[in-house]
Amino acid sequence: MATKDWPLWEIFVRSKNGLEHRHFGSLHAADAEMALENARDVYTRRNEGVSIWVVESKHITASNPENYGELFEPAQDKVYRHPTFYDLPDEVKHM
Amino acid sequence: MKEHLYNYILGIADNSLILGQRMGELCGHGPSLETDIACTNISLDLFGQVRSYFQYAAKLAGDGRTEDDIAMLRKEREYVNVLLAEQPNTNFAYTIGRQFLFDIYHLLYLTELQKSKDLTLSAIAKKCIKEVSYHVRFSSDWVKRLGDGTEESKQKMQEAVDDLWVYTDELFHQTEADKVMITEEVGVDVTKLKEEYYTRVSEILEEAGLNIPESKWFQKGGKQGIHTEHLGYLLADLQYMQRTYPNMEW
Amino acid sequence: MSEEQIMSLEKYFEERIARDEKIEPKDWMPEKYRQTHIRQMSQHAHSEVVGMLPEGNWITRAPSLRRKVALLAKVQDEAGHGLYLYSATETLGVSREELYEQLHTGKAKYSSIFNYPTLTWADIGAIGWLVDGAAIINQVPLCNTSYGPYARAMIRVCKEESFHQRQGYEIMIKLANGTPEQKEMAQDALNRWWWPSLMMLGPTDDKSVHTEQSMKWKLKRKTNDELRQQFIDQTVPQADLIGLKIPDPDLKWNEERGSYDFGGIDWDEFWQVVKGHGPMNKERMKARVGAWERGAWVRDAAMAYAEKKEKRKQAV
């Protein structure tokens, strides 16, 4: 049988409840169960996590940096989405 | 000194010690980096358990011996691990097979040991059981992968199971220390684990598409310190420093 | 793309790095940047993985249970670090298998220090103290390197590595404060590992081919000679503290420079080892290739099983 390499998986770990899963890195595994087990052994050896997601890397669609301008720059001048856009007198508390 | 309790602890701890040593041999030589890391984790879990047991045993002995003296300075005939634990890493199927056949037993055993009237032992069991549950998962998954993988892996896994099978019956033999500890409600009656053990093992083997060996002949002796020839070499490594440089601190 | 377009892209690229911006995998990058990074990152990964062997050599013989678990955990970390670094390298479009192939055929290099044998338990102390010490000096600046995945991998590596050197030095302390036999064992290990550790920081600046470009891309923050001086200056007092003697008769504090002067390094030995003729080069490769080949049927089985399972799932 011709050797077929274990595919690459992206690993997301929730460090503790209340936090989001964060990308920790990647690893190789033959299937999802093995990816989970490997992720546990590779990325949470020092008690770094309480929950793990694994996604086979090929299933991730990434935006293209060449489209950075059209994708992200339009958001830069939408300052009205940020609280500091709005002027309030200093005396106003709890807002 | 509570001699029976001391001997009883050695009976549990030596299994983890010898198996941990075997797993440790693989570190740096596994079939993939990921698998290497996983096997080392199992070895680390086992040595962690060994330290808890031997620290307790050293306290019981009360004669100044340390965990290391107990782990590394006994003679061959004084090690009472089961023969299964000392079998070599002939290939990865043997490593997985040995681990699997021990893990299923280990989990059943610790589940009972949790109920021990000896609070130290029951506390150790409670901690270990989480680790060992993961070992069961890991080794069972690999038995299935190898058993139900390629023709070659199936054949290798079957061969390993067939060869190691003869060492399984000994897991359920009672020792003198066992008998005393059972009456004191400290120890586990291993004879009662046997049926459940073979049921669970058979389930996984079947799922893996492997034949359940039919051998009626079994090997025994480990619990009495009568080992296979493999153990001597393992001990030569394990004990080398303590023997060559006695009475030193490291 | 016309040559002119590439030129302007390159100019923009270099400006980004100069501004301390990180480069991410899908960003445009000059081919040379990609190749240099594949080379350095994979070399780094290989070093971690080959580095498991000399220390792994003492796992079964560690003198106490405490030392045994520490060593196991350390060697396991090295596997982890190799894995982080291979993964980071894979973002540049090269697979781990290709990288292994380069290692196994001798096309790729790894740190030459691992071609020396670990003869006694003290060697495990010396490696942790000296080799990890030298490695940290090399690695800390890389947490800030320009290629994002490499920098992130290095942050993780450095965080985990912090116990490694302490573990090694602690072994040396115990030996140095032990029996005369133990102290002798420690001194012997220092004698054998000192010079290779200095060599580990790379050829002298006038012989180093990659320095200028690497500095620009933040693959390097200091030159080899600067790193070596830093290593010596920080290590000599550590040896003094535990009463071990650095095996260099020319070693002398230079008040004016505020640094130690040191004797000549045997660069012939360095090149001999780099070119594959060190004491353990062949054994190390045999061990790596052997593990990979012995593992082939295992990896195949896992793939075959995964495919079968997937098919069964779809059939339902």
Side-chain angles (χ1 to χ4, degrees):
Chain A
M1 177 176 157
T3 302
K4 206 164 146 193
D5 301 324
W6 290 358
L8 195 65
W9 298 72
E10 301 301 322
I11 310 303
F12 300 83
V13 178
R14 184 201 294 288
S15 309
K16 60 177 189 202
N17 278 355
L19 296 180
E20 65 275 68
H21 284 78
R22 200 164 61 80
H23 185 236
F24 261 46
S26 50
L27 50 74
H28 289 260
D31 54 41
E33 283 74 30
M34 196 201 279
L36 269 179
E37 288 170 15
N38 290 347
R40 175 250 192 205
D41 288 329
V42 172
Y43 288 106
T44 65
R45 294 200 300 287
R46 286 175 170 77
N47 208 5
E48 292 99 330
V50 294
S51 159
I52 302 174
W53 290 347
V54 299
V55 185
E56 202 178 330
S57 308
K58 69 176 184 197
H59 295 311
I60 289 186
T61 310
S63 62
N64 190 331
E66 277 165 38
N67 302 332
Y68 173 83
E70 64 191 65
L71 286 177
F72 306 114
E73 276 174 22
Q76 284 172 4
D77 62 0
K78 308 283 192 298
V79 285
Y80 45 79
R81 290 198 213 275
H82 300 279
T84 46
F85 177 72
Y86 302 94
D87 276 335
L88 293 183
D90 290 344
E91 299 83 64
V92 181
K93 304 287 183 207
H94 309 296
M95 197 176 280
Chain B
M1 173 182 126
K2 297 175 171 175
E3 198 187 329
H4 288 297
L5 180 56
Y6 176 83
N7 287 334
Y8 186 72
I9 295 168
L10 294 196
I12 319 172
D14 279 354
N15 288 336
S16 295
L17 173 70
I18 302 303
L19 197 57
Q21 178 82 355
R22 278 288 184 233
M23 240 358 185
E25 288 171 9
L26 273 186
C27 182
H29 306 275
S32 77
L33 267 185
E34 286 83 354
T35 326
D36 208 305
I37 292 171
C39 290
T40 308
N41 256 357
I42 293 178
S43 177
L44 278 168
D45 285 344
L46 291 168
F47 279 119
Q49 299 170 6
V50 168
R51 295 192 67 193
S52 305
Y53 289 127
F54 282 158
Q55 281 164 9
Y56 184 32
K59 215 168 83 187
L60 288 173
D63 55 4
R65 275 185 299 164
T66 65
E67 52 167 355
D68 293 322
D69 296 334
I70 299 176
M72 299 175 174
L73 284 175
R74 279 176 287 151
K75 301 192 180 72
E76 281 154 12
R77 289 290 313 279
E78 292 166 348
Y79 284 84
V80 288
N81 58 283
V82 291
L83 301 177
L84 177 65
E86 69 203 44
Q87 298 310 304
N89 297 307
T90 308
N91 61 36
F92 195 64
Y94 278 79
T95 302
I96 290 299
R98 181 187 63 213
Q99 194 62 37
F100 167 69
L101 292 172
F102 185 76
D103 288 343
I104 300 284
Y105 160 82
H106 203 184
L107 185 58
L108 290 170
Y109 178 84
L110 290 173
T111 308
E112 291 305 309
L113 190 65
Q114 286 185 107
K115 303 171 195 159
S116 172
K117 278 207 166 156
D118 184 300
L119 294 180
T120 309
L121 280 186
S122 106
I124 298 175
K126 283 194 180 104
K127 182 184 169 285
C128 296
I129 208 161
K130 294 183 192 130
E131 297 169 348
V132 173
S133 304
Y134 184 76
H135 301 174
V136 168
R137 174 177 162 162
F138 176 84
S139 61
S140 305
D141 279 356
W142 269 105
V143 166
K144 289 184 238 167
R145 283 190 194 107
L146 298 182
D148 194 15
T150 62
E151 272 310 307
E152 185 187 4
S153 71
K154 187 192 198 68
Q155 183 214 323
K156 284 197 158 84
M157 194 65 239
Q158 186 70 58
E159 191 190 332
V161 170
D162 289 348
D163 277 2
L164 295 168
W165 194 256
V166 299
Y167 301 112
T168 53
D169 189 64
E170 189 196 9
L171 292 164
F172 310 101
H173 293 194
Q174 269 184 0
T175 64
E176 283 312 306
D178 278 11
K179 285 175 192 154
V180 180
M181 286 301 109
I182 291 165
T183 57
E184 292 184 15
E185 294 177 66
V186 166
V188 175
D189 184 351
V190 287
T191 59
K192 290 189 180 150
L193 308 176
K194 189 169 175 173
E195 205 184 309
E196 180 66 15
Y197 173 82
Y198 283 108
T199 308
R200 290 196 190 183
V201 165
S202 302
E203 266 172 29
I204 303 285
L205 292 183
E206 260 166 44
E207 204 184 321
L210 295 165
N211 298 323
I212 296 151
E214 282 170 10
S215 171
K216 296 275 182 289
W217 302 97
F218 292 100
Q219 299 298 324
K220 60 176 185 201
K223 290 183 176 182
Q224 280 71 44
I226 299 173
H227 291 276
T228 59
E229 289 181 351
H230 301 298
L231 187 70
Y233 295 98
L234 183 148
L235 293 181
D237 274 357
L238 180 71
Q239 301 190 339
Y240 168 71
M241 289 296 291
Q242 292 278 346
R243 294 271 179 220
T244 314
Y245 304 94
N247 304 316
M248 295 182 203
E249 301 245 341
W250 302 98
Chain C
M1 238 184 294
S2 75
E3 214 161 290
E4 227 165 82
Q5 277 171 313
I6 293 180
M7 286 295 279
S8 92
L9 273 172
E10 263 182 46
K11 190 165 159 277
Y12 174 65
F13 179 84
E14 300 293 350
E15 283 167 5
R16 286 183 63 193
I17 293 183
R19 280 198 302 271
D20 257 339
E21 275 181 41
K22 296 283 185 237
I23 306 302
E24 293 297 340
K26 295 191 91 184
D27 293 350
W28 183 87
M29 60 185 79
E31 190 51 27
K32 195 166 166 228
Y33 181 89
R34 182 190 305 276
Q35 290 307 334
T36 304
H37 276 76
I38 291 177
R39 194 188 63 237
Q40 175 164 336
M41 289 161 72
S42 65
Q43 195 168 315
H44 197 160
H46 297 327
S47 299
E48 296 281 357
V49 170
V50 177
M52 295 170 76
L53 298 169
E55 289 180 279
N57 183 36
W58 278 88
I59 287 172
T60 59
R61 292 177 292 170
S64 69
L65 292 173
R66 179 172 177 268
R67 292 289 175 211
K68 195 190 285 281
V69 291
L71 182 58
L72 266 167
K74 180 180 184 228
V75 180
Q76 184 193 40
D77 271 352
E78 277 150 20
H81 299 169
L83 195 151
Y84 307 155
L85 289 161
Y86 281 128
S87 299
T89 317
E90 283 185 83
T91 62
L92 290 166
V94 52
S95 71
R96 193 194 296 177
E97 287 71 21
E98 288 170 79
L99 297 172
Y100 273 164
E101 176 71 19
Q102 292 173 2
L103 173 68
H104 295 165
T105 54
K107 227 183 107 195
K109 298 254 175 295
Y110 56 89
S111 185
S112 59
I113 192 109
F114 300 120
N115 292 313
Y116 290 87
T118 47
L119 303 179
T120 72
W121 171 250
D123 290 23
I124 300 307
I127 289 184
W129 174 32
L130 302 173
V131 178
D132 288 307
I136 291 169
I137 284 183
N138 243 330
Q139 287 171 353
V140 169
L142 287 173
C143 295
N144 209 7
T145 189
S146 66
Y147 187 54
Y150 193 21
R152 288 192 288 276
M154 287 316 299
I155 289 171
R156 193 172 285 281
V157 168
C158 286
K159 213 156 76 187
E160 297 186 351
E161 200 120 303
S162 55
F163 98 82
H164 293 182
Q165 197 192 8
R166 296 172 74 105
Q167 181 251 183
Y169 191 59
E170 195 200 68
I171 291 176
M172 295 306 267
I173 294 176
K174 267 277 190 226
L175 294 174
N177 294 332
T179 64
E181 221 176 346
Q182 284 175 303
K183 187 160 188 179
E184 190 188 317
M185 190 193 280
Q187 183 63 54
D188 166 65
L190 172 58
N191 293 349
R192 282 181 288 109
W193 289 94
W194 174 254
W195 293 105
S197 299
L198 298 189
M199 295 175 199
M200 188 184 157
L201 292 155
T204 49
D205 294 348
D206 54 326
K207 296 272 174 6
S208 179
V209 279
H210 304 300
T211 296
E212 198 192 334
Q213 181 72 82
S214 295
M215 290 271 192
K216 226 164 68 192
W217 287 338
K218 298 175 181 167
L219 273 169
K220 239 184 175 155
R221 284 326 210 1
K222 291 180 180 171
T223 70
N224 293 349
D225 287 335
E226 286 168 340
L227 292 171
R228 195 164 10 249
Q229 187 70 58
Q230 183 187 339
F231 173 71
I232 293 170
D233 290 348
Q234 77 177 42
T235 309
V236 173
Q238 293 166 356
D240 289 344
L241 190 69
I242 54 175
L244 295 180
K245 197 174 170 328
I246 303 282
D248 178 357
D250 298 323
L251 189 81
K252 202 166 73 238
W253 178 251
N254 183 326
E255 196 63 54
E256 208 175 296
R257 290 201 304 126
S259 271
Y260 283 92
D261 292 334
F262 55 97
I265 293 172
D266 181 357
W267 290 109
D268 286 345
E269 177 182 320
F270 173 76
W271 291 113
Q272 177 177 346
V273 179
V274 169
K275 291 192 166 122
H277 306 288
M280 296 297 282
N281 294 60
K282 291 201 171 65
E283 277 79 359
R284 298 288 184 244
M285 268 318 97
K286 247 188 237 166
R288 282 317 313 159
V289 174
W292 185 244
E293 286 177 352
R294 277 193 305 278
W297 70 269
V298 178
R299 297 190 303 275
D300 285 348
M303 267 327 276
Y305 175 75
E307 280 164 12
K308 278 190 212 173
K309 214 170 53 170
E310 190 59 33
K311 256 184 219 150
R312 275 177 220 149
K313 210 161 77 185
Q314 279 169 3
V316 173

